[in-house]
Amino acid sequence: MKTDDKYVDRHYHFKGKWDVPGLCGLKIVRKAGQTVVIATNLYDENPGTSISRWSAQLADSVCRDFDIPPGELLFIERNPDIHSRLAFYQETFDIVSFDRVDGRFANPVWKRISHEEVDELTGK
Amino acid sequence: MKIKLIYPGWPKLKNQTEFNLPPHGPVVFAAALPAGVEIEFTDENMQSVNFDDTADLVCISMMLTSQVKRGWEIADNFRARGQKVLFGGISTMLHAEETLQHANSVFMGEAEGHMEEVLADLQKGRLKKLYNFMGKQPGTQLIGPARRDLLERDLYYHKGVQMVDLFHASRGCKFNCYPCAVSFLGGRNFRARPFERIAEELDTIDNNRLFVVDNTLAQDKEWTKELFRTMIPFRKKWCSHTIHDDPDVLDLAAQAGAWYVYQAVFDTSDYIKERVKRYHDHGIGVEGTILLGMDNQTEDDIKRLLDFLGEINLDLAEFTVLTPFPETKSYDDMLKEGRIFDHDWNHYTADTVVFKPRHMSPERLQELYHYAWDSFYATESQEQKMFKLMMKVVEKEMEDGTYRKPRKDLMETSFGKTLDR
Ligand code: B12
Ligand code: SF4
């Protein structure tokens, strides 16, 4: 699968569920007081856990690896269009919000947003 | 050392004629145990569990989500009696966090090459809470012939006719379909067993009919052809999941004894129509597997799909409702969208709606599900269609001299129970 590069600046390796290595796309946009992180599911290119199943842990490790203060993170999950005939493989964006439990992200909740809203948030 | 190995029972599809196949995961797991271990096996779909029995280790093998609650109950009961319980198998991996609460130990991954370590820990009194081999699949040469000798063979007969034996020639799947957890379980790499080991195992199976449970036989064309060439001399007749849509492959499949395939029918395209026809042209029957309740299906789409089934001459059809099983994209999507309203794993049987469909109410999808079974089997019952499919295999067996008459001593029984006549 070839994903659209507009929202992917780099590939990011992470340790997924049950320590299985995983891979996702990342775009990080730093603004005053807020850092927007777009994590892209790479489906077939990802040998491990889907990022939807690992949002909280992924958000933790992205903050750690890229020095993002957890309080400033705006985490967006992107599932790209893989040009399948099946509707559930069309592009979606969700803002994922978390609780903070013992200094870590927990209990993800997803809110669907449009790509126009994403572009606005990333200042495009 | 004595191991008590248990396969918990699960509720069957209510609309489907009852059938019970010999379990596969547990007997393949048993083959990975070191020689000299005494194993006693109970398939709870057929036998009751003796809780008074004692063993050095109670092993619970779980395949389906709808088995896990019963598996946990069995474990709680044994543990209350001071027995140690180890869990493994497909739905153990899918429900590992919850299973840990009912276990002395949970094994994640494929068993081959690891059981010596687990049993050594047990003997030292240091059984670990978690053995995590996810993503570290063993070499397929280690997969030994399944221990089918552990099965109570006479239970898997209906009116004297033996059920198919399960067998697999490969693991993993390079695809990653929406409702499926296989990529999480076995990795994205197709992993073939060596042909000499496949032949060795086929040689041990005292049954002329098999279910080749490989995820799909459409992953590697050349390998599939070689597999069929390996199978030809054994003259087994078999059913399987999808086979490569290629005339050479289908030709070899037929020579190797292909009886019928499970083919997903997901739309009303000419592609599906022609695919079914090509199987039939090669003398291979088709059981359509039809998943209802996908996000792209409206009520009208489902009705059109049902009409279409009548046009493509399926030999059998099995209907299920979309079920968001853990570790699938379907589960992720439904969870994100807050659409799962029933989290009772006992209802994850694939005949009960546990989520809010996109285009109709859950109740309407449930009705359409029953309507699908009724309408497909309206003119000819499941028993009649199954009988016809059975006659196809009998014909093939008569031709090549492999036909075995039903067992006279089991004519009056069905899966171990005496028939009321
Ligand atoms: C055979 C099969 C069936 C048979 C089972 C027959 C039987 N008597 O058991 C039948 C046809 C009945 C069946 C039915 C269904 N199935 Co089914 N089935 C399979 C299939 C194809 C193969 C399972 C298998 O034998 N694998 C090979 C063995 C060797 O692997 P294994 O079990 O993982 O065992 C290894 C390890 O796990 C470990 N291990 C196993 N046990 C233990 C125990 C211990 C203690 C330890 C340490 C290790 C260990 O050792 C083994 C060797 O390494 C799988 C897909 C797959 N390829 O795995 C789907 C699969 C299990 N089925 C699935 C589904 C959806 C169903 C249905 C619900 C719907 C359907 N129609 O498909 C129905 C059930 C409906 C109902 N309510 O009755 C899903 C699971 C969904 C879920 N979470 O519940 C699977 C994963 C397929 C998929 N595409 O997603 N199925
Ligand atoms: S549904 Fe079949 S082909 Fe698709 S990922 Fe699952 S096992 Fe592979």
Side-chain angles (χ1 to χ4, degrees):
Chain A
M1 182 203 55
K2 187 81 197 83
T3 53
D4 184 349
D5 285 341
K6 184 175 165 194
Y7 300 102
V8 178
D9 288 341
R10 60 164 76 219
H11 279 180
Y12 178 65
H13 292 269
F14 60 95
K15 204 190 246 187
K17 198 166 181 186
W18 307 111
D19 296 340
V20 178
L23 186 69
C24 69
L26 273 192
K27 183 175 189 72
I28 300 177
V29 181
R30 294 178 196 267
K31 302 196 292 190
Q34 188 179 57
T35 301
V36 181
V37 171
I38 303 177
T40 294
N41 241 328
L42 293 181
Y43 300 125
D44 292 357
E45 288 170 56
N46 173 14
T49 318
S50 133
I51 61 167
S52 312
R53 240 163 275 153
W54 207 240
S55 331
Q57 297 85 340
L58 187 61
D60 276 329
S61 70
V62 169
C63 282
R64 200 176 48 240
D65 291 349
F66 297 93
D67 290 323
I68 301 168
E72 294 188 5
L73 174 75
L74 179 75
F75 191 86
I76 297 175
E77 179 185 312
R78 169 173 172 253
N79 287 281
D81 188 348
I82 62 163
H83 309 292
S84 146
R85 280 182 304 154
L86 304 171
F88 26 78
Y89 284 112
Q90 281 164 7
E91 186 170 57
T92 56
F93 294 92
D94 294 271
I95 291 186
V96 193
S97 38
F98 306 97
D99 295 334
R100 291 290 287 171
V101 179
D102 300 332
R104 293 172 152 267
F105 292 114
N107 309 327
V109 175
W110 291 263
K111 183 171 166 280
R112 186 70 33 100
I113 55 168
S114 65
H115 76 88
E116 287 86 0
E117 288 171 285
V118 175
D119 290 349
E120 216 166 279
L121 284 165
T122 52
K124 291 203 163 231
Chain B
M1 176 181 294
K2 182 179 165 192
I3 285 185
K4 193 167 169 65
L5 175 59
I6 300 169
Y7 196 49
W10 70 81
K12 300 290 151 31
L13 295 178
K14 287 185 268 308
N15 299 66
Q16 194 166 43
T17 308
E18 194 196 333
F19 69 100
N20 290 286
L21 302 181
H24 194 47
V27 293
V28 177
F29 155 69
L33 289 166
V37 175
E38 184 193 338
I39 309 164
E40 191 194 274
F41 177 59
T42 308
D43 173 4
E44 211 200 358
N45 291 300
M46 322 291 290
Q47 300 154 296
S48 50
V49 176
N50 179 1
F51 288 100
D52 295 325
D53 212 1
T54 55
D56 297 290
L57 187 64
V58 175
C59 287
I60 302 186
S61 174
M62 306 195 294
M63 180 187 82
L64 296 173
T65 286
S66 55
Q67 265 178 306
V68 295
K69 282 179 76 176
R70 178 61 188 153
W72 300 337
E73 203 171 64
I74 294 170
D76 293 346
N77 200 324
F78 274 113
R79 292 180 77 208
R81 292 158 189 256
Q83 301 276 307
K84 288 204 166 42
V85 177
L86 167 72
F87 277 94
I90 294 171
S91 59
T92 298
M93 295 181 243
L94 300 180
H95 298 269
E97 288 97 337
E98 297 155 281
T99 303
L100 276 163
Q101 294 164 26
H102 303 269
N104 293 86
S105 179
V106 163
F107 184 93
M108 306 272 295
E110 296 175 9
E112 291 78 10
H114 301 302
M115 295 323 294
E116 285 79 4
E117 177 191 334
V118 176
L119 296 190
D121 287 351
L122 174 74
Q123 273 173 331
K124 283 183 258 162
R126 281 196 238 125
L127 195 61
K128 296 191 185 78
K129 188 75 187 172
L130 178 68
Y131 290 90
N132 176 11
F133 294 101
M134 291 303 280
K136 301 184 189 96
Q137 285 86 15
T140 50
Q141 76 285 357
L142 294 177
I143 304 170
R147 291 283 312 274
R148 296 182 180 82
D149 57 297
L150 296 172
L151 300 166
E152 183 91 50
R153 304 296 283 180
D154 288 0
L155 295 176
Y156 303 97
Y157 278 80
H158 173 64
K159 296 186 186 167
V161 178
Q162 189 176 12
M163 294 295 107
V164 290
D165 255 289
L166 277 57
F167 161 80
H168 72 286
S170 67
R171 290 188 182 167
C173 183
K174 67 177 185 181
F175 305 111
N176 188 16
C177 303
Y178 183 69
C180 179
V182 163
S183 63
F184 165 81
L185 295 164
R188 297 271 166 79
N189 295 328
F190 167 68
R191 292 172 290 129
R193 291 177 68 184
F195 291 115
E196 60 279 10
R197 299 236 62 193
I198 293 172
E200 178 195 347
E201 174 143 4
L202 286 171
D203 207 26
T204 66
I205 306 177
D206 182 23
N207 190 340
N208 53 350
R209 295 176 192 161
L210 304 178
F211 175 5
V212 179
V213 299
D214 295 53
N215 293 311
T216 150
L217 294 176
Q219 303 204 60
D220 179 331
K221 203 187 284 185
E222 291 314 311
W223 176 82
T224 311
K225 286 199 228 164
E226 201 48 43
L227 170 69
F228 294 155
R229 288 190 197 103
T230 306
M231 292 175 76
I232 289 172
F234 295 94
R235 300 194 303 166
K236 306 279 187 198
K237 304 295 167 285
W238 45 271
C239 57
S240 73
H241 295 118
T242 316
I243 304 175
H244 259 295
D245 192 11
D246 173 283
D248 292 345
V249 180
L250 290 174
D251 203 38
L252 276 167
Q255 290 179 48
W259 169 20
Y260 69 96
V261 294
Y262 294 96
Q263 171 66 47
V265 180
F266 39 83
D267 63 22
T268 56
S269 60
D270 285 345
Y271 167 75
I272 294 280
K273 195 185 235 169
E274 279 151 25
R275 196 143 171 39
V276 172
K277 183 173 176 304
R278 279 191 288 272
Y279 283 125
H280 281 154
D281 289 346
H282 285 85
I284 303 170
V286 183
E287 170 159 355
T289 53
I290 299 105
L291 192 55
L292 304 177
M294 302 288 272
D295 276 1
N296 56 350
Q297 282 174 335
T298 61
E299 244 187 90
D300 280 348
D301 291 325
I302 292 183
K303 287 187 183 146
R304 251 197 305 277
L305 189 59
L306 295 177
D307 289 341
F308 176 72
L309 299 183
E311 295 165 22
I312 58 174
N313 298 321
L314 291 177
D315 299 272
L316 281 175
E318 182 193 84
F319 300 91
T320 49
V321 284
L322 178 64
T323 305
F325 290 113
E327 310 298 349
T328 62
K329 183 170 185 334
S330 136
Y331 182 79
D332 293 345
D333 287 356
M334 302 275 181
L335 198 68
K336 270 187 263 185
E337 293 162 14
R339 290 164 63 193
I340 302 177
F341 61 81
D342 186 343
H343 293 271
D344 183 339
W345 301 130
N346 277 353
H347 299 161
Y348 283 57
T349 43
D351 65 357
T352 303
V353 184
V354 297
F355 74 103
K356 294 184 202 126
R358 174 83 70 216
H359 294 293
M360 63 197 91
S361 68
E363 294 76 19
R364 185 63 189 139
L365 177 59
Q366 193 70 61
E367 279 166 18
L368 284 171
Y369 168 75
H370 293 298
Y371 171 74
W373 281 95
D374 293 345
S375 72
F376 185 81
Y377 291 106
T379 46
E380 202 172 31
S381 70
Q382 251 180 94
E383 286 73 15
Q384 284 167 321
K385 283 192 191 282
M386 277 163 108
F387 180 75
K388 277 194 181 166
L389 195 57
M390 204 64 184
M391 290 322 288
K392 278 195 185 167
V393 77
V394 169
E395 246 169 60
K396 285 179 200 243
E397 289 167 347
M398 292 282 200
E399 263 168 41
D400 67 11
T402 56
Y403 177 67
R404 294 180 185 181
K405 284 191 185 136
R407 266 186 45 192
K408 281 213 175 87
D409 57 329
L410 296 176
M411 289 298 241
E412 298 301 318
T413 67
S414 177
F415 305 112
K417 293 194 193 98
T418 307
L419 287 163
D420 294 332
R421 295 240 193 217

